[in-house]
Amino acid sequence: MEISEIIALSVFIAVYAAIISEKIHRTVAAMFGASIVLLLGIVPWEKVSHYLDLNTILLLAGMMVVVNVSRESGLFEYIAIKTAKLSKGDPMKVLLFFSIVTALVSAFLDNVTTVLLLTPMLLYITRQMKVNPVPYLLAEIFASNIGGTATLIGDPPNIMIGSAAKLSFNEFIKNMTPIAFVDLILMIGLVYVLYRKQLKKARETVSLAIMNLREEDAIRDKKLFRRSIIVISLVMLSFFLHDTLGVEPAVIALAGASLLLLWSGYSPEKALEKVEWATLFFFGGLFIIVGSLEETGFIAQVGEWIVRQIHNETEAILLISWLSALLSAVIDNIPFTATMIPLIKSMGSTLNTYPLWWALSLGACLGGNGTAIGASANIVVLGIAYREGIRITFKDFLKVGFIVMMLTVGVGSLILILRYG
């Protein structure tokens, strides 16, 4: 192992240890680690823009502005009250309903966009119900990652796999949607079992309070309310058509943010004040640190080791899905997927690679549920929750998230083996 590789790996481990221990703010830890690998030239300055993944960061920034401005109209409270009334104030039905909606939306939209839109509604409902928001936030995170597994456009790794292996939208529906459906049911059942005492206790006290709420009273600015709905609808439609239009999601989010600011006359200073800058800088630092592992060849070596352990399709499905899940729980799944694609292609001379693409999709997408930093959606939801005074520590998340990851990846890989092993 070369010295640059040792330093990159040491920085990576030290930053993650600092994040887990929570003695240093995660953003500070990530920025400090990124500064070290940049100062030592492990990541060359001219490659910073390559590793920063500006599409993710600008998509986040644009959608944060859209959400912040729309929130002033009372839009999210309005939808939240309607949702809570549909569930008749039953906390378990709210959890079930929001998990299904989150998974469905995530199957067609970016996970981060999904949670940015749904988290304010969820927090409003839980405040009104006076229940612990933690099980609801966790279920939302897990459902967004599971839903993203279901389709070609649900999660960036799937887009990369579909493009590299020439897999169609319908093939993803046929292979991954049934797995995502089973995993979603299991996840909801698990969250219920873990938090059933709180949910049952809450059910007895909140129903009447919810049914007495009037959604019309939540609207604070009718003009902004209507314009927010129009702009969000346009942004959503554009996300669905972005491949056809040939426009990156980040560009759509920035266009939506600027249109809403221009049309509403809302102060840009106020909108930008509420952007989660700490989350954006955390992402930036983490991207550069993971980039140092890619730059030194560490990620490629891990991928090559995986390939050397495989002798048949069943072994390949198990190894690729589980290692992808475990590694995606701690490093960004985009560079990992990019590394695995050529390695799986190289196995085509001795193995049928068709089921291996689904194993990679399964591990790369569902591994994100394993830790608090396993997926972008996790970081965004926990960042919003922290700002609202709700603290979910790395350890708190790990206790539930790791079980969800093990359960969903285990069932998913079993289904793949039964079909293709």
Side-chain angles (χ1 to χ4, degrees):
M1 194 178 276
E2 295 182 3
I3 186 69
S4 61
E5 200 174 339
I6 294 170
I7 294 171
L9 189 58
S10 302
V11 168
F12 176 82
I13 293 170
V15 168
Y16 273 68
I19 292 169
I20 293 167
S21 71
E22 299 181 359
K23 291 182 178 174
I24 302 173
H25 193 287
R26 61 181 185 174
T27 303
V28 178
M31 289 173 64
F32 189 67
S35 303
I36 291 173
V37 295
L38 286 171
L39 281 170
L40 296 176
I42 295 173
V43 175
W45 179 250
E46 56 271 21
K47 287 194 173 180
V48 168
S49 59
H50 169 72
Y51 290 119
L52 267 181
D53 192 358
L54 287 176
N55 194 38
T56 297
I57 291 176
L58 295 178
L59 170 67
L60 278 169
M63 287 309 298
M64 283 174 180
V65 171
V66 171
V67 170
N68 289 339
V69 176
S70 302
R71 183 186 289 136
E72 297 300 316
S73 72
L75 173 63
F76 298 125
E77 289 91 334
Y78 178 89
I79 299 172
I81 293 171
K82 292 283 275 187
T83 307
K85 280 189 165 182
L86 278 174
S87 68
K88 300 189 186 303
D90 184 326
M92 186 57 215
K93 286 184 182 173
V94 171
L95 188 141
L96 176 71
F97 188 82
F98 256 89
S99 296
I100 292 171
V101 169
T102 303
L104 279 173
V105 176
S106 286
F108 299 98
L109 286 185
D110 180 82
N111 293 359
V112 171
T113 307
T114 303
V115 297
L116 274 172
L117 291 172
L118 295 180
T119 304
M121 301 181 207
L122 197 54
L123 289 175
Y124 182 81
I125 288 181
T126 53
R127 272 197 295 269
Q128 294 301 315
M129 295 195 302
K130 296 184 174 60
V131 296
N132 178 10
V134 172
Y136 297 89
L137 293 170
L138 291 177
E140 182 197 19
I141 290 171
F142 302 145
S144 73
N145 291 324
I146 292 171
T149 313
T151 68
L152 172 67
I153 57 173
D155 218 354
N158 282 3
I159 298 172
M160 296 163 70
I161 292 166
S163 173
K166 310 294 181 201
L167 298 170
S168 69
F169 191 90
N170 288 337
E171 282 178 289
F172 268 89
I173 294 286
K174 191 172 69 177
N175 286 280
M176 299 309 291
T177 300
I179 293 175
F181 177 77
V182 173
D183 280 346
L184 180 67
I185 301 298
L186 290 172
M187 182 279 291
I188 294 171
L190 180 67
V191 172
Y192 175 73
V193 169
L194 293 174
Y195 293 96
R196 63 187 181 281
K197 287 184 181 175
Q198 295 176 38
L199 293 170
K200 279 181 180 174
K201 186 179 176 183
R203 186 182 298 174
E204 297 166 1
T205 59
V206 300
S207 180
L208 186 62
I210 288 295
M211 296 313 288
N212 285 335
L213 289 173
R214 282 166 43 86
E215 54 269 34
E216 295 82 5
D217 295 342
I219 302 173
R220 294 187 290 275
D221 184 333
K222 286 188 178 178
K223 192 182 286 185
L224 181 59
F225 182 85
R226 287 194 295 272
R227 291 175 179 177
S228 297
I229 290 175
I230 292 170
V231 171
I232 289 175
S233 300
L234 285 173
V235 169
M236 293 293 175
L237 181 64
S238 303
F239 278 143
F240 279 117
L241 299 174
H242 81 91
D243 270 343
T244 308
L245 297 171
V247 180
E248 291 295 328
V251 178
I252 294 168
L254 290 176
S258 55
L259 175 62
L260 189 56
L261 284 171
L262 185 67
W263 199 11
S264 66
Y266 191 83
S267 164
E269 285 83 3
K270 284 185 180 176
L272 292 171
E273 272 177 11
K274 296 172 186 172
V275 167
E276 303 278 345
W277 292 109
T279 300
L280 297 183
F281 274 88
F282 175 68
F283 270 117
L286 210 56
F287 284 146
I288 292 172
I289 293 166
V290 174
S292 71
L293 293 178
E294 193 176 342
E295 190 69 24
T296 56
F298 179 79
I299 292 178
Q301 287 179 45
V302 172
E304 287 165 6
W305 178 85
I306 293 171
V307 172
R308 286 199 297 272
Q309 314 309 312
I310 293 170
H311 302 98
N312 56 52
E313 277 83 3
T314 300
E315 283 183 16
I317 289 170
L318 282 173
L319 200 58
I320 291 174
S321 58
W322 279 101
L323 272 175
S324 300
L326 292 170
L327 288 171
S328 293
V330 291
I331 63 172
D332 191 273
N333 57 13
I334 294 174
F336 179 77
T337 305
T339 305
M340 287 300 292
I341 283 173
L343 294 171
I344 291 180
K345 279 184 174 178
S346 70
M347 296 161 65
S349 57
T350 54
L351 295 173
N352 172 20
T353 56
Y354 188 74
L356 308 190
W357 297 117
W358 309 124
L360 177 60
S361 167
L362 183 79
C365 296
L366 295 182
N369 279 333
T371 69
I373 53 175
S376 304
N378 312 10
I379 297 164
V380 171
V381 172
L382 297 185
I384 295 171
Y386 186 81
R387 199 181 64 184
E388 298 290 328
I390 304 158
R391 193 156 180 254
I392 303 174
T393 66
F394 191 95
K395 290 175 187 170
D396 292 337
F397 190 99
L398 190 67
K399 286 176 187 171
V400 186
F402 202 76
I403 299 172
V404 170
M405 184 193 79
M406 297 288 283
L407 182 65
T408 54
V409 175
V411 171
S413 56
L414 180 63
I415 292 172
L416 286 179
I417 289 171
L418 290 174
R419 289 189 69 176
Y420 299 109

